[in-house]
């Protein structure tokens, strides 16, 4: 005799909480927490394999100030475009 239980809703809630913790609510892009996590994973992998790698960080000076006159949806569109253009470089 066994007991079956549908955990679909619990899994969906767990995934939603994870996304909220690792992605910006407004843009849906990865946040600093996720970046730090991925960097630590990468460093550990390279240390174990004795390989080398590189990290490219872009600091957009005065980004908020330079985009305040733009529509927020346009700014989000720009951020998503930059993200999708740079994502293939991380492979």
């Amino acid at each position: 005799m066994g007991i079956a239980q549908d955990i679909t809703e619990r899994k969906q809630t767990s995934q939603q909480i994870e996304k909220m913790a690792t992605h910006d609510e407004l843009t849906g892009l990865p946040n600093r927490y996720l970046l730090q996590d991925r960097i630590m994973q990468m460093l550990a992998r390279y240390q174990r394999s004795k390989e080398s790698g590189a990290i490219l960080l872009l600091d957009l000076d005065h980004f908020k100030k330079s985009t305040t006159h733009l529509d927020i949806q346009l700014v989000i569109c720009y951020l998503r475009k930059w993200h999708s253009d740079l994502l293939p470089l991380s492979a």
Side-chain angles (χ1 to χ4, degrees):
M1 182 164 154
I3 298 175
Q5 183 178 5
D6 185 4
I7 60 168
T8 304
E9 187 176 329
R10 189 175 351 166
K11 285 189 107 78
Q12 288 173 340
T13 301
S14 177
Q15 289 172 345
Q16 185 179 12
I17 290 170
E18 168 121 11
K19 180 149 180 136
M20 289 170 58
T22 59
H23 290 76
D24 181 78
E25 185 178 351
L26 185 61
T27 65
L29 296 173
N31 63 16
R32 185 177 305 201
Y33 173 80
L34 187 60
L35 171 67
Q36 290 172 332
D37 180 64
R38 294 303 186 265
I39 289 173
M40 296 306 292
Q41 287 179 19
M42 185 185 75
L43 290 174
R45 183 177 61 236
Y46 284 131
Q47 189 173 23
R48 282 191 308 271
S49 67
K50 305 289 190 226
E51 294 180 26
S52 60
I55 298 173
L56 171 66
L57 295 175
L58 300 177
D59 184 10
L60 304 174
D61 290 334
H62 310 290
F63 179 77
K64 185 175 181 181
K65 190 161 89 172
S66 63
T67 58
T68 54
H69 66 284
L70 297 174
D71 178 57
I72 188 65
Q73 293 304 318
L74 182 61
V75 173
I76 292 171
C77 183
Y78 281 134
L79 288 171
R80 287 182 178 155
K81 175 72 172 123
W82 292 333
H83 179 258
S84 66
D85 287 349
L86 292 173
L87 197 58
L89 298 176
S90 66

